[in-house]
Every structure is written in structure tokens, then in C-alpha cells.
Amino acid sequence: MHIEGSYEFEFERELVWDVLMDIDVLGSIIPGSKGLQEIGENKYESKLAVKVGPVNGKFESSFELADVKAPESYRLIVEGKGPAGHVTGEGAIRLTQENGLTVMHYAGDARIGGKIAAVGQRLLDVAAKQITKQALKKLSRQIETRLETAG
């Protein structure tokens, strides 16, 4: 499965980067996440509760940030497994400053197996797009909250 797109933030790139690198924020914006626990440098684990169509399950997952180039980009490596299946994937996030906006460009590929893969590619694609949209909206709200508390 492949996902790719961009999202515009009405904030400076450095602020978006700082919030994006905050583990508490990342743990709170990942749909179904019970928060992230640091297990090493740029390595985290989480418990996720995921529902895709008729299949739902709990997953033990790990996240690693690689090739971190502040405040511009990083790669994200993800693995998850649980009774409903497993997922491995890798993605890239890049922030650019354009016309007073910060644009996040993202792309990633995931391999999914088990019961959760049985729901079909089309449903998985729709679910992945919805999850991404939810996470980005939550991230934007987190940035707004940070600005309000700082101001």
C-alpha cells in the first residue's frame, strides 16, 4: 500500500518541526495510540487499537526516526504486530516553507498481512487516508495550542 500527499500549516517551519519532534504530541496524534515510550535514540514503541472495516485489533508497534535533518526531513520506519495481523512500513516527511506557509510533503509504503489485510486493498487505502488526515488535523491543533500557551 502506498500513501502520498501534502498538508499546509499556517505556521513557521521551525515551530511545525518542534511540535512534530515532541514525542508526547506524536503519541497523541496517532489514531488509536496509547502514547509513545522511548526505547532508544529516536526509537519508540506504542500500543495501538486499530479498526479497519469489520476487523479490529490491538497491535504492539515500534517507530524509528532515521536520517533526521532538522528542521527539514526525516524517515519513519514502522513495525506492528498483533492477533489481527502485522504491518511494516517506511515513510518520509519533508517540510518546506512556501508563501508564508509550511508544507509537509509525505510519502510512504506499507506491507500488511493477516486478518486486517483480508478487508481488501480498497478499504485499506481509504482507512490509511482517513487516519493520515485525522493525524494531520490533530497535529495542526497541537501547534495552535502550543502557540496559545507560549503567547
Side-chain angles (χ1 to χ4, degrees):
M1 176 176 61
H2 180 76
I3 189 162
E4 187 171 355
S6 63
Y7 189 87
E8 293 181 349
F9 297 93
E10 294 182 10
F11 311 106
E12 293 295 319
R13 181 168 78 164
E14 286 73 18
L15 176 61
V16 174
W17 178 265
D18 288 346
V19 174
L20 195 57
M21 295 301 289
D22 183 320
I23 297 315
D24 292 331
V25 170
L26 285 179
S28 73
I29 68 169
I30 299 169
S33 173
K34 304 301 181 206
L36 294 176
Q37 300 297 317
E38 188 169 4
I39 57 172
E41 185 176 349
N42 291 328
K43 294 182 181 182
Y44 311 92
E45 63 183 12
S46 179
K47 294 182 185 333
L48 301 173
V50 178
K51 180 171 173 48
V52 179
V55 178
N56 60 39
K58 296 184 182 196
F59 293 83
E60 299 284 330
S61 58
S62 65
F63 301 86
E64 179 180 355
L65 304 180
D67 301 329
V68 178
K69 296 181 181 111
E72 184 180 318
S73 64
Y74 64 75
R75 286 186 313 116
L76 178 65
I77 302 163
V78 179
E79 290 185 33
K81 60 184 171 185
H86 61 274
V87 62
T88 58
E90 187 171 317
I93 293 173
R94 184 172 51 89
L95 301 177
T96 59
Q97 192 79 44
E98 300 173 18
N99 302 319
L101 301 172
T102 297
V103 180
M104 175 190 285
H105 305 273
Y106 58 88
D109 292 293
R111 290 158 299 289
I112 300 169
K115 292 180 203 172
I116 202 157
V119 301
Q121 189 65 43
R122 183 176 167 93
L123 187 55
L124 286 171
D125 288 343
V126 169
K129 288 176 184 169
Q130 287 176 338
I131 288 169
T132 301
K133 188 176 180 180
Q134 288 173 2
L136 290 169
K137 284 184 178 182
K138 285 182 179 180
L139 178 62
S140 188
R141 284 194 298 272
Q142 289 282 352
I143 296 168
E144 287 175 18
T145 299
R146 186 165 291 188
L147 272 177
E148 289 170 5
T149 57

